[in-house]
Amino acid sequence: RRAGGKLRGRGMTVIIFLFAGTLWTTHKNEVSSMNEKRVGKRTIALSHPPSVISYANIGGKQEAEGPLSSYFDELSDDSFFGEKTWEKAESTMQKKVVQRALDQAKLKPGDLDYICAGDLLSQCIGSSFGLRDFGIPFYGLYGACSTMGESLSLAAMLIDGGYASLAGAVTSSHF
């Protein structure tokens, strides 16, 4: 089993997880309330937990030099991935990693119902420009260091709530 890369650091990392869930029907007599999913004040229990069907990660020069380098799907010697700015580099990283995860799962962008993505740049600029050509409905997230956890939990809740059968979670950090 492979481990993912760093979520934050001096280098750059992009990680995506694609989730799959099963859609279910609710019987007319069955009433579901929020309280059935709440386990505590800040904890939920998913009634229909999703499964990770694919994941991919990309790192830059610093990750290539680190102890986890063998766990990355792709590493680049160029911290800007051939681009002229950090923002464009982060967009390129997100585009590459989403395509890799889709290819590994033998999916097309149109198969995803939603993608929850974020970066540490102003106004999720890397995510919005990097993912717009895929045409997947996009939730832009900015939780700073918690963006990966936020994207994973929101994608899982979209599936558990019956709003999606396939969803992606993407986070990137660049320097």
Side-chain angles (χ1 to χ4, degrees), residues 2-14:
R2 295 183 304 162
K6 295 187 304 186
L7 294 181
R8 180 172 184 257
R10 293 178 313 201
M12 63 189 116
T13 304
V14 179

Side-chain angles (χ1 to χ4, degrees), residues 7-9 15 17 116-120 124 140-155 157 169-173:
L7 294 181
R8 180 172 184 257
I15 299 175
F17 292 90
C116 300
D119 54 64
L120 299 183
C124 294
L141 308 174
Y142 185 82
C145 295
S146 68
T147 304
M148 190 73 236
E150 184 180 7
S151 63
L152 287 167
S153 62
L154 290 173
M157 287 189 282
V170 183
T171 300
S172 61
S173 172

Side-chain angles (χ1 to χ4, degrees), residues 106-164:
K106 296 180 177 34
L107 295 171
K108 299 179 300 272
D111 294 331
L112 290 183
D113 298 306
Y114 298 100
I115 195 158
C116 300
D119 54 64
L120 299 183
L121 298 172
S122 180
Q123 304 295 321
C124 294
I125 200 79
S127 301
S128 59
F129 282 99
L131 303 175
R132 69 181 176 178
D133 291 340
F134 287 107
I136 303 166
F138 165 71
Y139 284 103
L141 308 174
Y142 185 82
C145 295
S146 68
T147 304
M148 190 73 236
E150 184 180 7
S151 63
L152 287 167
S153 62
L154 290 173
M157 287 189 282
L158 281 168
I159 291 170
D160 184 65
Y163 300 102

